[in-house]
Amino acid sequence: MSAAETASGPDARTWGVLLVLCGAIFLEGIDVAMLNVALPSIRADLGLSTGELQWVMSAYVLGYGGFMLLGGRAADLFGRRRMFVLWLTVFLLFSGLGGLATEGWMLIVARFVTGVAAAFMTPAGLSIITTGFPEGPERDKALLLYSGTAAAGFSIGLVAGGLLTALGWRWVFFAPVVLSFLILVAALALVPASRRPDRTGQHVDTAGALTVTAALVLIVLGVERAAHAGIAASAAILLAGLAFLVVFLVVERRSAEPLVRLGVFRNGSLVRANLAAMLFAAGFFGFQFLVVLYLQELRGWSTLQTSFAMLVMGVDAVLSPTLTPRLVRRFGNARVILGGLLLAVLSYGLFLPLGADWSYAAMFPGLLILGVAFALAYGPLTIVATSGIAEEEQGLAGGLLYTAFQFGAALGLSAATAVSVAATRGETPAALMEGYRAGLLVPFAAALLACVIGAFALRAGRAAHPAPADGATVPATGPAERTGATVSP
């Protein structure tokens, strides 16, 4: 963006580019939501166990989270537009291949590659936004619109997933192909080619990418296998994952061009934002997985009934671009995030005594509150995690944030599944109910831990910006400080 544009605000072309990027994150949201609703139908058609079914979701988020750091670095090194367009094309192709799967492993592989494509596409898109809008109110507005669009995609995906699954679950994979193609055409027309980055002496840290991906996959696998393979086998897998994580840190410390510059973790706001995002996603995805199984497999609800039942969570699509910006301007990001995390705890807590004959009226308050929680937490976390970061590392900042979200999602899915399966003693409805109730403790615990981080962040923010004494002059602040963009989450 030129100096003139920065002074007068983003031009129409910049806002047009933002709409294209919002379309991509909308695609990601609708893709995940539609699949979530279709899981029981996929299980019935392909004959998958609960553990295998969980991997249909986890394969995507592991590919997404495992390669996100490499995707962010690639955007910085090879050009954001180039990476966005290339991997949107891969996303399109493998989404279609997922719909052609005839075996569980085929679907899992297709979802993994689709997740890898999203891992390169999403940080490229996010860094186009964060480098196209100056830090402050304009960028905050763009990021909140971006996160609100993701929420809208999820909300519409819940209904679309139910409708498409009624026709056949394969349509859940074919529909994103059409949407991907339209976004690809718009991106080629509107997203300008950026200056070719100077890569003299620079390289992609392949060793770092492989070791961190292996670490994430093994840690999630170790948690998931706890209910199937016993403590010893699960512990061995977890230790292997931790060993790969140590190797990754050693590789990054010695690399001249690391995948992750370890000095970035000296930014306390970034670290706390990523930890809170990881725990929030763990609770959110684990909760959805269990509630969908409860409604369709225990209660016998249709996919369409389930879709409309969970649609109330889509209130975040309305609140994210309307209410959340006002709250951020008035209270700052830290307070808004903490409020969202506290609401998540309340929502999951309301579901802990879940019964086999609960009416929808009994479930409605918890689902509504969770939608509000998402609206308050998601956008402000995105702002905090990318604020105060140099332009040449915006891809890295976006990669770290979405790695946290996706690794948290995979971990939450695995942990909720493992606890639910371990607590299920038989095939009776009562046994299944015990398993679901036990599994719901996982999102509740994750949200509680996220609240602890949010409270610590708020305290850290107050310590960094103490209130002036009586009669003292309040120092002038820039737009970022007034909106709370630099206050820790």
Side-chain angles (χ1 to χ4, degrees):
M1 179 180 291
S2 68
E5 287 173 354
T6 301
S8 62
D11 59 9
R13 176 67 177 268
T14 302
W15 287 109
V17 172
L18 176 62
L19 290 178
V20 172
L21 301 174
C22 284
I25 201 67
F26 176 88
L27 169 68
E28 196 269 337
I30 198 172
D31 180 81
V32 171
M34 290 195 301
L35 177 59
N36 193 45
V37 175
L39 287 175
S41 296
I42 294 172
R43 184 222 284 267
D45 190 30
L46 299 183
L48 305 180
S49 67
T50 300
E52 291 171 323
L53 187 67
Q54 175 263 136
W55 277 104
V56 174
M57 289 287 288
S58 290
Y60 175 84
V61 296
L62 276 175
Y64 202 156
F67 285 87
M68 184 67 72
L69 293 175
L70 181 59
R73 180 62 175 159
D76 292 334
L77 285 179
F78 299 109
R80 298 175 177 106
R81 180 185 187 272
R82 184 177 295 106
M83 289 294 98
F84 180 79
V85 169
L86 171 63
W87 289 99
L88 176 58
T89 304
V90 177
F91 187 100
L92 181 158
L93 293 174
F94 277 85
S95 182
L97 289 175
L100 299 175
T102 56
E103 300 287 342
W105 69 266
M106 296 171 63
L107 181 56
I108 290 171
V109 169
R111 290 305 292 170
F112 180 78
V113 178
T114 306
V116 172
F120 283 83
M121 178 180 73
T122 304
L126 180 60
S127 60
I128 290 173
I129 295 174
T130 55
T131 56
F133 291 82
E135 188 168 328
E138 291 295 343
R139 182 189 292 181
D140 292 353
K141 181 180 179 181
L143 288 176
L144 289 171
L145 177 61
Y146 185 70
S147 61
T149 306
F154 179 82
S155 304
I156 294 173
L158 289 173
V159 177
L163 292 170
L164 292 172
T165 304
L167 298 175
W169 63 264
R170 297 181 189 278
W171 285 103
V172 167
F173 296 93
F174 296 146
V177 172
V178 179
L179 183 57
S180 301
F181 179 76
L182 295 176
I183 296 169
L184 179 61
V185 171
L188 290 171
L190 293 175
V191 178
S194 56
R195 177 177 56 85
R196 188 178 181 87
D198 182 9
R199 299 196 303 272
T200 304
Q202 299 185 17
H203 67 281
V204 175
D205 182 12
T206 306
L210 292 176
T211 51
V212 74
T213 301
L216 297 179
V217 171
L218 288 170
I219 290 171
V220 172
L221 178 62
V223 172
E224 191 274 333
R225 296 306 297 171
H228 307 282
I231 299 299
S234 179
I237 297 172
L238 285 171
L239 287 174
L242 293 174
F244 270 105
L245 188 59
V246 171
V247 172
F248 167 71
L249 294 175
V250 172
V251 168
E252 298 307 282
R253 183 175 293 277
R254 295 182 177 180
S255 175
E257 293 292 336
L259 184 67
V260 178
R261 183 179 63 82
L262 298 182
V264 76
F265 295 113
R266 296 192 186 99
N267 186 321
S269 295
L270 178 145
V271 171
R272 289 187 287 268
N274 280 275
L275 287 174
M278 181 184 72
L279 290 166
F280 184 75
F284 192 76
F285 276 79
F287 174 82
Q288 286 183 81
F289 181 75
L290 291 174
V291 169
V292 167
L293 292 183
Y294 162 78
L295 291 176
Q296 293 194 38
E297 299 195 338
L298 183 69
R299 302 295 299 277
W301 289 24
S302 68
T303 54
L304 199 56
Q305 286 175 311
T306 302
S307 296
F308 281 109
M310 299 185 71
L311 182 60
V312 64
M313 291 194 299
V315 68
D316 60 341
V318 177
L319 298 181
S320 290
T322 55
L323 176 64
T324 304
R326 296 179 184 177
L327 294 177
V328 166
R329 284 194 296 270
R330 181 169 181 179
F331 301 107
N333 284 303
R335 292 182 179 86
V336 175
I337 291 169
L338 181 57
L341 297 176
L342 288 170
L343 287 178
V345 172
L346 175 60
S347 171
Y348 301 143
L350 290 174
F351 268 84
L352 290 180
L354 183 67
D357 57 352
W358 267 28
S359 66
Y360 182 62
M363 292 181 267
F364 183 85
L367 295 174
L368 177 62
I369 292 170
L370 184 56
V372 177
F374 194 94
L376 296 184
Y378 184 73
L381 281 170
T382 304
I383 293 172
V384 174
T386 55
S387 294
I389 304 297
E391 179 174 330
E392 61 270 17
E393 289 192 322
Q394 281 295 327
L396 170 61
L400 285 171
L401 175 65
Y402 285 106
T403 296
F405 272 126
Q406 299 305 322
F407 177 60
L411 202 58
L413 282 165
S414 297
T417 301
V419 172
S420 179
V421 170
T424 303
R425 309 291 185 182
E427 300 288 336
T428 66
L432 291 174
M433 195 65 252
E434 285 300 314
Y436 293 139
R437 274 196 291 262
L440 287 171
L441 288 169
V442 171
F444 182 73
L448 278 177
L449 288 173
C451 280
V452 172
I453 294 171
F456 180 78
L458 183 58
R459 183 178 178 182
R462 286 173 176 168
H465 303 280
D470 291 343
T473 301
V474 179
T477 58
E481 284 76 16
R482 285 196 298 272
T483 60
T486 59
V487 178
S488 309

